[in-house]
């Protein structure tokens, strides 16, 4: 996990943006690419280069491990266009429906990387069944549970958790409950969000990604 976090800052600096909007991101103080020749400035991209850069930024933002996984999500989104309305809403909606994305967007996981760790370490249930696949697609009406003590053991204070819950997205509902003397936060996934509802910290240029996959 540490190596991945190190690489994520490299991605931010490569494209000159704070990809996750974090104040500690080195790009905020070093506004040039990493590497020996980084101080010479950013390269000018061709049309394909712009598409590929947009692809890399969104792929990194959602912590997808492979480009094949990313492309498969786009292919699935194309099949949903008639139901959802347009390819951008269906594509980003599917990315937001991944289990680790739901945890991250709820405010209970401070980063997308922490959210993946919660899932892969068997700390998360969906409809009372253990799920350890971070890419698992959550459906409207599904209930996700995670133990309160786990949140606090990973450095989130009560006030920070409550702030995350209060500011959570409109397509999620978060409750605190006690079951069998175990304290849980429960997230209910209400619906797939539209692109306009997703609080990206930067312009993700989804239209360029659609062009990239439609070549």
């Amino acid at each position: 996990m540490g190596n991945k976090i190190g690489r994520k800052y490299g991605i931010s600096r490569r494209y000159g943006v704070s990809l996750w909007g974090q104040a500690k991101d080195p790009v905020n103080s070093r506004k040039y690419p990493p590497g020996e020749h980084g101080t010479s400035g950013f390269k000018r991209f061709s049309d394909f280069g712009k598409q590929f850069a947009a692809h890399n930024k969104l792929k990194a933002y959602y912590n997808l491990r492979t480009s094949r996984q990313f492309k498969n999500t786009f292919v699935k989104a194309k099949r949903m266009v008639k139901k959802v309305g347009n390819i951008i809403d269906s594509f980003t909606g599917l990315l937001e429906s991944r289990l680790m994305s739901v945890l991250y967007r709820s405010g209970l996981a401070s980063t997308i990387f922490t959210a993946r760790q919660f899932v892969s370490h068997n700390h998360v249930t969906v409809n009372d069944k253990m799920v350890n696949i971070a890419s698992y697609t959550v459906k409207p009406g599904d209930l996700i549970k995670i133990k309160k003590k786990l949140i606090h053991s990973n450095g989130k204070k009560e006030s920070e958790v409550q702030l995350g819950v209060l500011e959570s997205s409109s397509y999620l509902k978060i409750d605190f409950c006690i079951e069998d003397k175990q304290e849980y936060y429960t997230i209910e996934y209400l619906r797939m969000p539209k692109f306009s509802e997703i609080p990206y910290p930067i312009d993700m240029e989804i239209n360029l990604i659609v062009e990239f996959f439609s070549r």
Side-chain angles (χ1 to χ4, degrees):
M1 185 175 175
N3 289 336
K4 181 64 178 179
I5 288 177
R7 290 199 299 273
K8 85 175 183 183
Y9 289 136
I11 291 171
S12 289
R13 288 190 59 204
R14 180 180 178 186
Y15 296 113
V17 294
S18 182
L19 198 55
W20 293 273
Q22 295 178 337
K24 63 181 180 181
D25 195 324
V27 74
N28 295 322
S29 58
R30 287 176 280 177
K31 297 184 181 300
Y32 52 85
E36 181 180 356
H37 304 289
T39 52
S40 61
F42 294 97
K43 296 179 180 179
R44 295 189 64 178
F45 290 119
S46 64
D47 289 343
F48 173 79
K50 292 176 183 177
Q51 294 172 3
F52 190 59
H55 163 281
N56 286 343
K57 284 186 282 188
L58 192 69
K59 176 172 168 282
Y61 179 83
Y62 283 105
N63 193 13
L64 274 76
R65 297 291 176 83
T66 67
S67 293
R68 179 184 293 274
Q69 193 178 33
F70 200 25
K71 177 65 179 290
N72 288 343
T73 302
F74 181 79
V75 171
K76 184 177 179 181
K78 287 181 69 175
R79 296 197 294 264
M80 296 174 55
V81 169
K82 289 184 179 179
K83 180 179 179 181
V84 175
N86 65 71
I87 186 62
I88 291 179
D89 281 345
S90 61
F91 183 42
T92 55
L94 281 176
L95 292 170
E96 286 287 318
S97 298
R98 293 158 63 87
L99 181 55
M100 64 176 173
S101 297
V102 172
L103 281 175
Y104 174 49
R105 199 62 76 197
S106 74
L108 298 181
S110 56
T111 69
I112 192 73
F113 305 96
T114 302
R116 179 185 283 276
Q117 189 177 56
F118 284 162
V119 178
S120 62
H121 289 189
N122 297 323
H123 295 311
V124 179
T125 64
V126 178
N127 299 328
D128 293 322
K129 294 182 179 180
M130 188 71 66
V131 176
N132 60 5
I133 301 172
S135 61
Y136 176 88
T137 300
V138 180
K139 300 176 180 61
D142 282 354
L143 296 177
I144 301 105
K145 293 182 182 178
I146 185 168
K147 289 184 178 180
K148 179 181 177 182
K149 67 178 182 180
L150 180 67
I151 304 296
H152 293 281
S153 69
N154 278 269
K156 296 202 78 173
K157 299 177 182 178
E158 183 71 29
S159 58
E160 292 174 334
V161 172
Q162 292 302 326
L163 181 63
V165 170
L166 291 172
E167 294 184 350
S168 62
S169 303
S170 60
Y171 47 93
L172 303 176
K173 179 182 178 183
I174 296 90
D175 291 316
F176 173 70
C177 63
I178 299 177
E179 294 182 5
D180 299 327
K181 298 183 180 179
Q182 297 288 335
E183 296 178 324
Y184 290 91
Y185 282 108
T186 301
I187 307 166
E188 182 180 1
Y189 189 63
L190 303 177
R191 58 179 175 81
M192 182 183 288
K194 295 181 179 180
F195 171 69
S196 59
E197 296 176 294
I198 303 172
Y200 293 121
I202 64 170
D203 180 9
M204 285 298 183
E205 301 177 302
I206 304 297
N207 59 313
L208 295 181
I209 302 171
V210 172
E211 292 173 8
F212 177 82
F213 282 131
S214 300
R215 289 176 298 120

